[in-house]
């Protein structure tokens, strides 16, 4: 089987600018996937004093917000300069996790610059091949390039 056909890509958070303790969250349904890769892309800061956001991963058997339990909250970029663009990648073995993962991205309280970030996820080693090429990516607005 072609490994590319056992992968599903999703946009968790579209690129957006946020500041002053703003929090954005997204859920990822990992049903049937053995692994998830979550990629946070941060643009370079306009102001050289800007710092990165705090990132948190939680898990739950359903999408009720209060049922999510944090399993990774130790990655804090709030003391890290984001003068240059950067990428943060999580690789999660979903076989030992609950069905849904939740990413939370929160900007620092006293940030004096907008933090622009977008998040994509890829589910890998799916139990079944997606039924149509349109399901390989997160939405009908995505472009598939085959080469």
């Amino acid at each position: 089987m072609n490994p590319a056909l056992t992968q599903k890509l999703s946009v968790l958070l579209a690129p957006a600018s946020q500041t002053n303790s703003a929090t954005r969250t997204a859920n990822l349904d990992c049903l049937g996937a053995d692994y998830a890769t979550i990629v946070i892309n941060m643009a370079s800061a306009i102001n050289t004093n800007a710092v990165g956001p705090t990132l948190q991963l939680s898990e739950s058997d359903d999408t009720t917000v209060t049922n999510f339990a944090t399993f990774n909250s130790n990655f804090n970029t709030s003391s890290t300069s984001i003068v240059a663009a950067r990428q943060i990648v999580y690789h999660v073995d979903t076989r030992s996790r609950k069905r849904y993962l939740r990413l939370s991205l929160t900007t620092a309280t006293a940030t004096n610059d907008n933090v622009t970030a977008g998040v994509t996820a890829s589910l890998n080693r799916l139990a079944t091949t997606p039924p149509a090429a349109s399901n390989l990516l997160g939405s009908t607005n995505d472009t598939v390039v085959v080469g």
Side-chain angles (χ1 to χ4, degrees):
M1 177 177 289
N2 184 344
L5 297 178
T6 62
Q7 178 183 52
K8 181 178 179 182
L9 302 174
S10 300
V11 175
L12 292 184
L13 295 173
S17 180
Q18 64 188 74
T19 188
N20 296 331
S21 297
T23 298
R24 295 195 308 153
T25 60
N27 295 339
L28 179 63
D29 185 353
C30 300
L31 182 66
D34 287 347
Y35 300 96
T37 299
I38 300 171
V39 180
I40 300 105
N41 291 301
M42 290 187 285
S44 58
I46 297 168
N47 183 325
T48 58
N49 294 326
V51 294
T54 298
L55 304 170
Q56 175 179 312
L57 278 177
S58 305
E59 64 182 347
S60 178
D61 288 324
D62 57 38
T63 57
T64 304
V65 174
T66 55
N67 291 342
F68 279 90
T70 301
F71 69 89
N72 187 333
S73 63
N74 62 355
F75 198 90
N76 186 334
T77 62
S78 62
S79 61
T80 304
S81 171
I82 55 172
V83 172
R86 64 182 315 145
Q87 187 178 69
I88 298 164
V89 180
Y90 285 106
H91 295 290
V92 181
D93 183 346
T94 57
R95 295 173 297 178
S96 61
R97 295 281 163 212
K98 295 185 179 183
R99 177 175 174 176
Y100 295 94
L101 296 180
R102 180 179 181 87
L103 174 74
S104 175
L105 186 147
T106 304
T107 54
T109 304
T111 186
N112 57 1
D113 191 23
N114 292 341
V115 173
T116 301
V119 181
T120 56
S122 128
L123 295 173
N124 302 293
R125 292 186 60 186
L126 297 172
T128 60
T129 303
S134 62
N135 290 338
L136 293 177
L137 297 174
S139 76
T140 57
N141 295 327
D142 293 327
T143 302
V144 179
V145 179
V146 179

